[in-house]
Amino acid sequence: MDSTAQQKATMIGGDNLELSFKDLSLDAGTVGEDSSKILKWNLPLKELYKLACSFYKEKSGKAIHLSYEDNLKLVAFTQQAAHGPLDLSKAPPLGMFDVIGKDRRIAWQQLGTITKLQAMEGFIDLLDRLCPLFKPYVEAIKKDREEKARRAEQEEIQRTEALAAERERQEELARLESEKNREELHRRQLQDALNQQTYHQFKEYAEIQFPGNPEQQAVLIRQLQNEHYHQYMQQLQAQVATNLARLKSLSDGEEDDTPTAVVCENGAAGANDPAAANEFANANNAKENSQFEFKEQCDSDNDSGDYAVISPANMWTKPDIKLFKQEVMAGKGDGVIRVNHGDTVTVKVPTHEGGSCLFWEFATDSYDIGFGVYFEWGKPPTTEVSVHISESDEDDDTIEEDDEVICAEDLECGQVQSSQMSSAGSALGSRNPISIIIPIYRRECHQEVYAGSHTYPGEGTYLLKFDNSYSLWRPKTLYYKVFYTR
């Protein structure tokens, strides 16, 4: 029995075992190094050894079939890698008939004093030679791990980008909220300033409308103030757009032949003043500047420079149109006028010595009508309110639209040519200058009452224009009231 074991030990020893040692790439200088720092096939040696052991246990006798001697060598490498060199004094005794155990112990003993790391690499190299499927198996596992690592890295990048995007979104929301709060604060400051300017005028008007009823007066004052604010902003936006377009034409070197009035800021400058226009544009672009004043379009005749500045009018509407018509027809207002097709009615209202603000209200039956307000400077010849009617085929004794006021922004009269303006200027040589307070526009006054007010700019006569010249067939019934407050 001992001779048989000796023969088997000879078979697994000698040259074959020495060949496996020659394939080891680790030398004595690396024996003591940590296996985690030693790479083989681009994997840590210890990790690769675990894969080799797992592959050997799973595939042995199934996908791979090794000889008895090869199995002895692989087992010897695993024993050396787990326990180091064989120490017979510490090894448990073997049974008399344990041939396989003796063969394994002999193979282990023949590995000599190689280190555990060398035994691991010897196991890997021997398994690679004996089983060609082992290395592709390792490569597949390595690629799978790399793919998982790549996916994890991509997911981490996506997570980071998502967090950054969410953070930017939150910052943008915070910025928008802050901007909204600033705009709201600016709006409130501007509206408060406007309310302070118009409170006394609206209070007097509300006392006339609802005498002895403070609650209704307060409701009406709030309504008028809101309407005034919205109208103010609309006028401001329209004027800004006009002046920006004019500034662009000036910057392009184009000659501006149309003497359109520019916004007069803080009572300074008239039309055709680029410095004043630039000052207004800069003030509008600086949204935080809530102190600048918007002034309505003003007449810019060089001979009437004293009348250049005029404040904007207030306009609002009231829903109780039936009650208003009944009051006017009952004699509680100024009257009822029939405006024929093609006619223009001008109601002349002189300024009153004891007054400071003019109010007007009007409505029509069934159809709309054009309405605008002008102001004729100079001492009025009379204090009485008068009504003048001009037909389309007759000369208007008051002053025609095309030669009374030069207004390039009046949508009803259209653009005016420079030749027309020069002839109009010569024709107006002996007349008082006229300023536009509200250009003529068609109003839906058959659906609700249109009302407005304007603070006296000085001494003169208000011209309330009710224009039906655009209608070819329909006459209009006009109900109106005008009065002043102190």
Side-chain angles (χ1 to χ4, degrees):
M1 192 69 180
D2 292 339
S3 60
T4 303
Q6 184 65 35
Q7 290 176 357
K8 291 182 177 179
T10 303
M11 291 174 60
I12 65 174
D15 295 338
N16 290 336
L17 192 58
E18 290 177 0
L19 286 175
S20 66
F21 290 148
K22 290 179 182 179
D23 293 333
L24 296 178
S25 61
L26 296 176
D27 55 21
T30 62
V31 170
E33 296 185 8
D34 186 3
S35 61
S36 62
K37 298 180 181 179
I38 302 174
L39 297 180
K40 186 175 182 66
W41 299 354
N42 293 325
L43 286 174
L45 179 60
K46 190 173 182 179
E47 183 179 351
L48 182 59
Y49 174 70
K50 290 181 179 180
L51 290 177
C53 292
S54 175
F55 178 82
Y56 175 70
K57 291 178 181 179
E58 291 178 3
K59 307 299 182 181
S60 181
K62 300 177 183 177
I64 58 176
H65 299 278
L66 303 178
S67 64
Y68 179 75
E69 291 80 5
D70 292 335
N71 281 322
L72 285 179
K73 293 178 183 179
L74 291 174
V75 171
F77 279 124
T78 60
Q79 293 293 329
Q80 189 83 0
H83 306 288
L86 175 62
D87 187 356
L88 294 176
S89 62
K90 296 180 181 180
L94 296 176
M96 182 179 298
F97 301 102
D98 189 2
V99 178
I100 296 177
K102 291 179 180 179
D103 291 344
R104 289 181 177 179
R105 185 163 292 184
I106 292 172
W108 182 6
Q109 188 175 14
Q110 288 179 349
L111 293 179
T113 58
I114 65 173
T115 64
K116 294 181 179 182
L117 298 181
Q118 289 175 321
M120 292 180 186
E121 189 168 9
F123 181 87
I124 294 169
D125 290 338
L126 181 57
L127 183 63
D128 181 37
R129 285 200 305 272
L130 298 176
C131 182
L133 297 178
F134 173 60
K135 194 166 187 177
Y137 168 79
V138 174
E139 293 293 335
I141 292 178
K142 186 166 64 173
K143 288 182 180 180
D144 182 64
R145 291 182 179 180
E146 291 175 352
E147 180 65 19
K148 289 181 179 179
R150 186 185 64 81
R151 290 180 182 177
E153 184 179 359
Q154 287 183 346
E155 290 177 358
E156 182 64 25
I157 294 174
Q158 292 176 355
R159 255 194 318 272
T160 304
E161 292 177 351
L163 290 175
E166 178 64 19
R167 184 166 53 253
E168 291 179 359
R169 190 181 71 85
Q170 294 295 337
E171 291 175 355
E172 180 67 14
L173 290 177
R175 187 189 66 79
L176 292 177
E177 185 67 20
S178 177
E179 181 69 18
K180 182 179 179 181
N181 292 336
R182 285 198 300 269
E183 290 180 356
E184 179 64 19
L185 178 61
H186 173 68
R187 185 194 68 78
R188 290 181 180 177
Q189 292 175 347
L190 181 58
Q191 191 168 11
D192 290 342
L194 294 175
N195 291 345
Q196 291 177 3
Q197 295 176 2
T198 59
Y199 175 75
H200 295 290
Q201 298 177 13
F202 291 155
K203 187 175 185 299
E204 293 178 0
Y205 176 78
E207 290 175 349
I208 296 174
Q209 296 296 317
F210 301 101
N213 192 339
E215 294 181 358
Q216 289 293 334
Q217 292 176 13
V219 172
L220 180 58
I221 290 173
R222 284 196 298 271
Q223 178 186 357
L224 296 178
Q225 288 176 338
N226 290 334
E227 291 285 347
H228 175 248
Y229 171 76
H230 291 302
Q231 181 190 5
Y232 175 90
M233 296 306 296
Q234 291 174 358
Q235 291 175 340
L236 180 61
Q237 293 172 0
Q239 193 63 37
V240 168
T242 301
N243 284 279
L244 288 179
R246 184 170 180 271
L247 287 174
K248 185 178 184 302
S249 65
L250 290 175
S251 64
D252 294 339
E254 299 176 0
E255 184 176 348
D256 189 2
D257 294 332
T258 305
T260 304
V262 301
V263 171
C264 301
E265 185 175 2
N266 297 328
N272 302 326
D273 187 351
N278 280 317
E279 188 175 340
F280 171 78
N282 293 333
N284 176 72
N285 290 335
K287 292 184 179 179
E288 290 77 8
N289 181 8
S290 61
Q291 300 299 323
F292 76 90
E293 282 186 50
F294 174 81
K295 298 295 185 181
E296 187 57 69
Q297 293 175 327
C298 51
D299 185 79
S300 59
D301 191 271
N302 292 331
D303 298 333
S304 59
D306 295 339
Y307 313 103
V309 177
I310 194 164
S311 61
N314 303 316
M315 287 284 289
W316 63 91
T317 58
K318 301 194 305 182
D320 50 348
I321 187 170
K322 292 184 179 179
L323 179 60
F324 171 75
K325 292 179 180 179
Q326 292 174 0
E327 292 179 354
V328 174
M329 294 178 65
K332 297 182 180 181
D334 290 82
V336 182
I337 301 177
R338 179 181 175 86
V339 186
N340 291 323
H341 60 86
D343 288 356
T344 299
V345 172
T346 303
V347 179
K348 292 188 173 184
V349 185
T351 55
H352 197 278
E353 292 182 359
S356 62
C357 183
L358 179 70
F359 283 84
W360 62 82
E361 297 176 343
F362 66 93
T364 57
D365 286 337
S366 304
Y367 305 105
D368 63 359
I369 197 168
F371 174 74
V373 179
Y374 300 152
F375 187 80
E376 182 177 0
W377 298 86
K379 185 176 181 62
T382 178
T383 59
E384 298 295 328
V385 177
S386 58
V387 178
H388 299 262
I389 301 176
S390 63
E391 298 180 358
S392 58
D393 56 350
E394 297 179 1
D395 293 333
D396 186 2
D397 293 336
T398 58
I399 291 173
E400 290 293 337
E401 289 290 335
D402 57 352
D403 60 1
E404 174 189 358
V405 178
I406 304 303
C407 176
E409 296 178 4
D410 190 345
L411 299 182
E412 297 286 77
C413 61
Q415 297 292 331
V416 182
Q417 302 298 327
S418 58
S419 60
Q420 293 176 324
M421 292 188 294
S422 60
S423 62
S426 61
L428 292 175
S430 61
R431 291 174 177 171
N432 291 332
I434 306 293
S435 293
I436 299 176
I437 299 175
I438 302 176
I440 296 177
Y441 294 105
R442 294 171 68 171
R443 320 285 176 168
E444 301 292 333
C445 51
H446 60 293
Q447 298 178 352
E448 52 187 351
V449 180
Y450 274 70
S453 68
H454 187 258
T455 303
Y456 286 179
E459 195 174 27
T461 303
Y462 283 95
L463 308 178
L464 277 64
K465 296 279 188 177
F466 297 96
D467 184 11
N468 196 33
S469 60
Y470 59 86
S471 180
L472 299 178
W473 309 105
R474 296 191 179 99
K476 312 291 173 63
T477 301
L478 172 68
Y479 305 81
Y480 76 95
K481 291 169 61 176
V482 288
F483 54 92
Y484 68 91
T485 58
R486 297 183 184 279

